[in-house]
Amino acid sequence: MIRFENVGLRYGSGPEVLHDIDLTLESGSGHYLVGPTGAGKTSLLSLLYLGRRPTRGLLTMFGQDVATATRSALTGFRRRIGVVFQDYNLLDHLSAFDNVALPLRLVGTDPDMVRDHVHQLLEWVGLDTMAGVKPPFMSGGEKQRVAVARAVIGQPDVLLADEPTGNLDETMADRLMMLFMELNRHGTTLVIATHNTRLPQRFPHPVLHLQEGFLKAGRPW
Amino acid sequence: MVRWRQRPQEVPLASDPSSSFVPTIIGAMVFLSTLVLGAALAIEGVADGWQITGQQYRATIEISRKSASEETVATSIDVLAQLPGITRVRVVGDDEILATIEAWTGGRPDLELLPLPVLIDVEALSPESLRSDIIEQILEETAGAVTVYVEPQWLIAVRSTVGTVQLVTALMLVIIALISVVSIVYVTRTALSIHQDTIETLHQVGAQDSYIAIQFQNQSLFLALMGGIPGNVLAILIMMFLTRELSGSFEAPLLPAVSLETGEWLFLGALPVVAAVVAMVAARVTVITSLGRMP
Ligand SMILES: Nc1ncnc2c1ncn2[C@@H]1O[C@H](COP(=O)(O)OP(=O)(O)OP(=O)(O)O)[C@@H](O)[C@H]1O
Ligand SMILES: [Mg+2]
């Protein structure tokens, strides 16, 4: 269970970009995070993937207040969280294969198992022929799929996806969404930030509506 | 660039500007420290040959065999030991004396023909405690006429020079080590900021600080060896050349040769390893402390 209590976030000494967030995400739940550009979706996700800590309020994840968690505890949490970043955050000097393999290698998974898993996933996202290609030589949609594969390969407890289908056609978008839904069915807590109004209709889940840094009740549309 | 493992380097340090800077600076530092340390060891070797190392000042007292009964010697030692400033008094054994003579004459002398005197070695912390006139006067009562050989003034001067050389050497080595460490810290900090995005991503997918630190420390170790080994080899070649030249020109009997012992050469040869380990530790500490400040 993830719990926000009166959480606020500001970047450095800038203005507050998230205000008074009160939110509970049950384990195994699935949510969409929607709102206009600049509303704070990525910022909210960054709190969830522990890239930042709240500047005020209380955020509890995995039963612990993240403000008081030690560095090594945070590393442990991050290993249980998969993230598809809005701008992918792939390592440009590593091949698609090595990018996707990273989370498994970091926890010392057996190399044969790593290879099998990675190829399997790359195949699912339609990139099995591009395993050796580095991100700078890929299209936006290809990079996005590598990012998705890396996020899900560790079968995370929490999966956060920031506009994961933005660069994809409908067929491929649906394919990836099915992957997310499959993980969600197996207990992964899911939060997908998106501008795509088609997704909540096709794969129904509750919607969290952010506007100017506030969580609003109801859908924007 | 050499790969450490089959696995790719997650932080692409090999293409950093540091990959030429670190070998250059560490190479130069190892070169200098090898020369400095080598010179100091050689000087110390020469000083050892003259028996002038250490902080002690020495005098040797010669008592003729005839007047030196065991009792006389024992009382003399007691008297000497009670003088102010004396740190050590001992009788020089016959074997030791014979060995010294053997080195001069090339054969063991016949003790019957060559009546050896009894020699007493005295050590003190300052030359003032070893005034020959005073010692002669005091021993007059117990042992009769004795001869006191005090270290000559020039030897005392050389001794203090050797002490200064050691001090300067230590100082230079400390400075060299500081420059090396500061350079590595600087290079590592630069690399950390160049690769900040990569490091953040690695953290995000679950890398521990130590995992990231290993990449930096391996690179630092590798680069330091790349520079340190050539710098060391060059300095050792120069040292070998110089010691050969110098020991040739001082070819006089009884003067100790300017040379290094095998162990000392090995010690000098180990300097690049020492430098590499220092570079590795400096990189690791820098990374761990810097990452500790990240969110
Ligand atoms: N690194 C940053 N430093 C300072 N301000 C930031 C930073 N990132 C985002 N912001 C600000 O925080 C606010 C929310 O940004 P955020 O990226 O969370 O919006 P978003 O909902 O993800 O937008 P989009 O739909 O365009 O991705 C914006 O006003 C933005 O300018
Ligand atoms: Mg965003």
Side-chain angles (χ1 to χ4, degrees), chain A residues 49 51 71 75 78-79 85 89 91 93-94 98 102-103 105-106 150, chain B residues 8-10 12 198 201-209 211 291 294:
Chain A
Y49 63 67
R71 277 185 76 72
T75 302
R78 290 190 184 109
R79 290 181 176 180
F85 294 93
N89 287 8
L91 300 186
H93 59 285
L94 297 186
D98 288 330
L102 210 47
R105 285 176 172 165
L106 286 173
R150 186 182 66 187
Chain B
Q9 235 186 351
E10 275 98 15
T198 301
T201 303
L202 283 172
H203 267 151
Q204 202 55 64
V205 296
Q208 278 163 335
D209 290 350
Y211 182 90
L291 293 186
M294 278 175 72

Side-chain angles (χ1 to χ4, degrees), chain A residues 41-42 86 162:
Chain A
K41 301 183 293 296
T42 301
Q86 191 165 16
D162 201 348

Side-chain angles (χ1 to χ4, degrees), chain B residues 63-139:
Chain B
I63 307 174
S64 98
R65 273 286 156 181
K66 281 179 287 178
S67 56
S69 68
E70 269 186 33
E71 203 193 326
T72 322
V73 175
T75 358
S76 303
I77 287 179
D78 281 347
V79 169
L80 286 169
Q82 273 155 30
L83 291 180
I86 302 290
T87 53
R88 198 166 109 110
V89 181
R90 72 178 184 105
V91 178
V92 182
D94 284 351
D95 280 350
E96 213 175 314
I97 301 172
L98 283 173
T100 312
I101 294 171
E102 210 174 338
W104 283 60
T105 59
R108 205 157 250 258
D110 191 340
L111 269 180
E112 298 292 308
L113 298 175
L114 187 75
L116 289 175
V118 172
L119 296 181
I120 299 176
D121 248 0
V122 184
E123 290 181 0
L125 280 173
S126 78
E128 287 78 50
S129 309
L130 294 176
R131 297 256 312 269
S132 57
D133 47 348
I134 295 179
I135 295 178
E136 274 166 20
Q137 201 187 326
I138 289 171
L139 289 186

